[in-house]
Amino acid sequence: MAKSVTRIYSRYSREAVSLLGGLVRAARKERKLTAQELADRAGISRGLVQRIEKGNPKCEIGTVFEVATIVGIKLFNADKTTLTKHIRQTEEKLALLPKSVRKTKKVVDDDF
Amino acid sequence: MAKSVTRIYSRYSREAVSLLGGLVRAARKERKLTAQELADRAGISRGLVQRIEKGNPKCEIGTVFEVATIVGIKLFNADKTTLTKHIRQTEEKLALLPKSVRKTKKVVDDDF
DNA sequence: TTCTTGTGGTCTATACACAAGTCATAGGTA
DNA sequence: TACCTATGACTTGTGTATAGACCACAAGAA
């Protein structure tokens, strides 16, 4: 029942979210946009822009990526075409991998 | 009051979320982890892992990054130290930028 | 083949992210 | 200098993402 979710994040992912937020803020100021303007363009509230820029990990990833895109941040260091290509490659890779991961239990493979 | 949020995402950010989800799935299978195991390690439910891997944009960015980190995906093509360095650079950049963005109104700077 | 288990669904109840609003202050501009 | 606005920090009400349970099917293993 979705109880008191005090989630623990690893240092790495916390920093990644923080960095993305910082990049958004820097990119926004470089483009001379106010928080309100950016919020309007993204169709969100100014308060949410604040939280994203502060690196709040509980924001929707779609919204964060959208805001990042608006201020011109390249996700995965990839532009539009590279991104599409990357997706196709991942799909091909997934097609090769087994549909389900199954443990061969009882078989002690730690035979060291 | 937070009315029927049917948010619109740009193609780019939708694809970025999708790609990340696909990468997580591929990386998980390569590491021979079941969805349940990954969920346990991340401290989330299996259903959430499913949505993340499907590229649902409404998942928390912190959770998505955490899951990605667990399966060994490098965010921003950066490892731990690179990430920290990157954050410092962004902070320095922000220190140089004006604290608040202010429009010089009436001044038509589009003097082309 | 059968058996086991991983996966993809659905459904419900609850905690919380969000929008919208207010206020105080910092900090650019004139 | 004083004015004005962007920002930060709140508050409140509501929609919804989530956990957790369930079921059905698929897919490896024996």
Side-chain angles (χ1 to χ4, degrees), chain B residues 90-108:
Chain B
T90 307
E91 281 171 355
E92 287 170 3
K93 190 179 198 176
L94 273 169
L96 296 177
L97 287 167
K99 299 280 194 310
S100 68
V101 177
R102 180 162 295 246
K103 310 288 185 193
T104 54
K105 71 174 168 186
K106 276 294 177 303
V107 181
V108 276

Side-chain angles (χ1 to χ4, degrees), chain A residues 67-84:
Chain A
V67 167
T69 302
I70 290 176
V71 296
I73 295 176
K74 291 224 187 315
L75 284 340
F76 303 102
N77 294 331
D79 55 31
K80 246 177 84 87
T81 51
T82 314
L83 202 58
T84 309

Side-chain angles (χ1 to χ4, degrees), chain B residues 18-101:
Chain B
S18 262
L19 173 58
L20 187 51
L23 289 175
V24 167
R25 168 157 298 189
R28 175 174 68 80
K29 301 209 178 227
E30 280 183 344
R31 303 196 162 219
K32 302 262 190 289
L33 285 172
T34 67
Q36 186 62 61
E37 286 171 335
L38 178 53
D40 291 341
R41 289 205 196 182
I44 61 178
S45 64
R46 187 172 62 90
L48 185 48
V49 171
Q50 275 187 42
R51 285 207 305 288
I52 289 173
E53 291 187 349
K54 276 186 69 175
N56 188 319
K58 314 205 73 108
C59 300
E60 295 176 8
I61 189 169
T63 311
V64 178
F65 278 18
E66 186 71 20
V67 167
T69 302
I70 290 176
V71 296
I73 294 176
K74 291 224 187 315
L75 283 341
F76 302 103
N77 294 331
D79 55 31
K80 247 178 83 88
T81 52
T82 315
L83 202 58
T84 309
K85 195 194 303 175
H86 211 142
I87 288 180
R88 217 188 46 243
Q89 289 173 345
T90 307
E91 281 171 355
E92 287 170 3
K93 190 179 198 176
L94 273 169
L96 296 177
L97 287 167
K99 299 280 194 310
S100 68
V101 177

Side-chain angles (χ1 to χ4, degrees), chain A residues 54-103:
Chain A
K54 276 186 69 176
N56 188 320
K58 314 205 73 109
C59 301
E60 295 177 5
I61 188 170
T63 312
V64 179
F65 277 18
E66 186 70 20
V67 167
T69 302
I70 290 176
V71 296
I73 295 176
K74 291 224 187 315
L75 284 340
F76 303 102
N77 294 331
D79 55 31
K80 246 177 84 87
T81 51
T82 314
L83 202 58
T84 309
K85 194 194 302 174
H86 211 142
I87 288 181
R88 216 189 46 243
Q89 290 173 345
T90 307
E91 282 171 353
E92 287 169 3
K93 191 178 198 175
L94 272 170
L96 296 177
L97 288 166
K99 301 281 193 308
S100 68
V101 177
R102 179 163 293 245
K103 311 287 185 196

